[in-house]
Amino acid sequence: MKYNSIFAATIISVIFSSCQKKDHEGFDSSQLHVIVSKPTEAQVFSKGDTVQITGSIDYISQLHGYSISITDKKTNEVFYDLDEHLHDASFSINTYWVDTLSENAELVLKIVAEADHEGHESSKEVNFTSKP
Amino acid sequence: MRILTRLLLVFITLGNSLESDACDVCGGSGNIQGLGLLPQFSSHLAGIQYLYSSSASDHPSLFADKPNEVSAQSVTTLQLWGKYKLSKRFQLFAFLPYVYNNNTDGTQSLRSKGFGDASVIANISIPLAENNSNKRLLLAGAGLKLPTGKYVPAKDASQYVLPNMQAGSGSWDIIGNVNYTVKAAKWGYNIDATYLLTTVNEYQYKFGNRCNISGTAFYSIGQKNLKMLPQCGIRLEYSLHDYDNYEKKWLNEQTGGTMSFISAGAQFFYKKLGLKSIVHIPAYQNYAGGYVHTNTRFETGIFILF
């Protein structure tokens, strides 16, 4: 009888210790903010210039990472590609790309914030130009 | 048999509490200290163990149009351990691991090595009704896992290693253990159940609570000074999800899961010297949503009884 009571208490304790709360359910896209400070829209760069990429991402809950890419709008060639897989509610973006292009190109910088693994994300694009 | 039924009931209760989900940062599975088939209850003991486990992860990328994230992990542990008999019924166990963890994802290898989290467990033998045909031993105890191993928080990106691939947890955790052995003539069996109740570390990371249950049958061969105990059994491992940030309740649903193993091996005794070798072959696993596959594990060790 004594051992039955001990095991009953153990099961009850295990049930309570197994409950796991989480902060929220569902994705709220209105609360995911992606801000790009640099470069600015329609900015022009020359060959050899350092293109500063700065910005921020924040959300009301945990994010799973972000990606940064610079792509030629006409050819879809990717000149810069960075993936960061980190868990936090906010990220500060501070990186750079050196313009090595020899021909004129219309480029787009895209920063994508990933809220989870179900494809919930938000992004920001900035168009700029490379003129050697 | 009643005790086996109760332990299985505890495990089933744990299993119904878990929600499994897709994998995120899949790392090597955690391990908690269990006692298993203990040699020579009447003696003090000191020994060293070598444990090796590896796993492979293959899961969809977090980012669209990117290939699957594939990685391989290995965990090597060299552990000092000992048992000290405080009295006829009380005994104290201590474990001090040194770990070497490696995570390779094709482009880079991240390594973490150093002393891991030490553990101490105090056990008491519980009197059982006399049974002329069988020898029975029931131990129950509790202990602590100390944050002696290094834990590097996620903010330190230049040194960042997956939480469950780090040398330490950074947290004080509570261990509960029940160990039951029955021996009749040369045959016997052992049931060991260990539960790890975790706490949050100073960086707000909280590993999920974990439970291990093993059942082992053994046979004794030999005489007093030279003995061999071949053994086989099953091992069940269960862990809840980790919290990336416990204060904010950021539950990492890409951690945790269930695994079971078929175990086979033997213990050898020559006078006061002992040797143990066991392999654990995965039988069923659903860890991190099925995206992490654990390979065969191996452990061996020598110990001295005194």
Side-chain angles (χ1 to χ4, degrees), chain A residues 43 45 71-75 79 97 99 101-108 128-132:
Chain A
Q43 193 170 353
F45 296 92
T71 307
D72 187 315
K73 292 172 67 175
K74 187 175 180 181
T75 65
F79 298 111
W97 170 68
D99 187 347
L101 303 183
S102 303
E103 297 180 0
N104 290 355
E106 295 298 320
L107 306 172
V108 58
F128 64 101
T129 302
S130 172
K131 281 188 176 179

Side-chain angles (χ1 to χ4, degrees), chain A residues 23-24 26 28 31-33 58-63 89, chain B residues 248 250:
Chain A
D23 61 334
H24 78 294
D28 187 350
Q31 298 296 323
L32 176 51
H33 308 114
D58 65 85
Y59 185 52
I60 55 170
S61 185
Q62 184 184 25
L63 294 164
Chain B
K248 298 178 182 177
W250 290 353

Side-chain angles (χ1 to χ4, degrees), chain B residues 84-243:
Chain B
Y84 186 78
K85 273 186 65 70
L86 298 170
S87 69
K88 187 179 177 183
R89 291 181 60 200
F90 285 94
Q91 54 185 353
L92 194 66
F93 289 87
F95 303 87
L96 178 62
Y98 185 91
V99 298
Y100 180 85
N101 301 331
N102 188 53
N103 184 62
T104 304
D105 66 0
T107 60
Q108 62 176 348
S109 285
L110 292 172
R111 298 182 181 85
S112 172
K113 60 181 180 180
F115 283 102
D117 289 350
S119 303
V120 288
I121 302 173
N123 267 350
I124 181 174
S125 66
I126 297 174
L128 298 172
E130 288 293 325
N131 186 319
N132 290 332
S133 61
N134 297 336
K135 291 182 181 176
R136 303 188 298 165
L137 178 64
L138 176 62
L139 303 173
L144 283 176
K145 188 179 68 64
L146 292 70
T148 51
K150 185 179 180 182
Y151 178 89
V152 179
K155 291 288 186 185
D156 194 348
S158 63
Q159 301 180 58
Y160 178 63
V161 177
L162 296 172
N164 56 357
M165 290 294 290
Q166 301 211 24
S169 66
S171 62
W172 294 80
D173 302 329
I174 300 167
I175 302 169
N177 175 261
V178 175
N179 188 290
Y180 179 65
T181 305
V182 176
K183 190 168 183 287
K186 291 187 177 298
W187 289 95
Y189 67 86
N190 167 265
I191 301 169
D192 183 87
T194 303
Y195 193 78
L196 183 72
L197 190 67
T198 61
T199 64
V200 60
N201 66 21
E202 63 176 304
Y203 305 105
Q204 289 301 316
Y205 196 91
K206 182 183 184 299
F207 290 88
N209 295 344
R210 302 168 194 266
C211 178
N212 286 1
I213 298 179
S214 63
T216 306
F218 61 89
Y219 183 77
S220 179
I221 301 171
Q223 301 299 321
K224 186 178 177 183
N225 284 333
L226 184 62
K227 270 189 184 176
M228 173 178 164
L229 263 68
Q231 57 189 79
C232 67
I234 60 171
R235 178 184 171 90
L236 307 171
E237 294 184 4
Y238 172 91
S239 60
L240 295 174
H241 300 309
D242 298 349
Y243 280 95

Side-chain angles (χ1 to χ4, degrees), chain A residues 3-4 7 11 14-15 17-18 20-23 62 64 66 81 83-85 87-89 116-117, chain B residues 6 9 13-14 17 24 62-63 66 126-127 155 195 209 240-241 243-244 248-250 253-254:
Chain A
Y3 294 140
N4 285 336
F7 277 104
I11 290 172
V14 163
I15 290 172
S17 71
S18 301
Q20 294 197 287
K21 296 179 183 176
K22 60 180 183 178
D23 61 334
Q62 184 184 25
H64 284 246
Y66 61 90
D81 188 16
D83 299 333
E84 289 290 356
H85 196 160
H87 293 179
D88 209 337
D116 53 37
H117 285 262
Chain B
R6 287 168 184 153
L9 183 59
T13 305
L14 286 167
S17 305
D24 185 38
L62 173 66
F63 307 101
K66 293 290 171 69
I126 297 174
K155 291 288 186 185
Y195 193 78
N209 295 344
L240 295 174
H241 300 309
Y243 280 95
D244 286 327
K248 298 178 182 177
K249 294 295 183 281
W250 290 353
E253 293 179 307
Q254 289 76 42

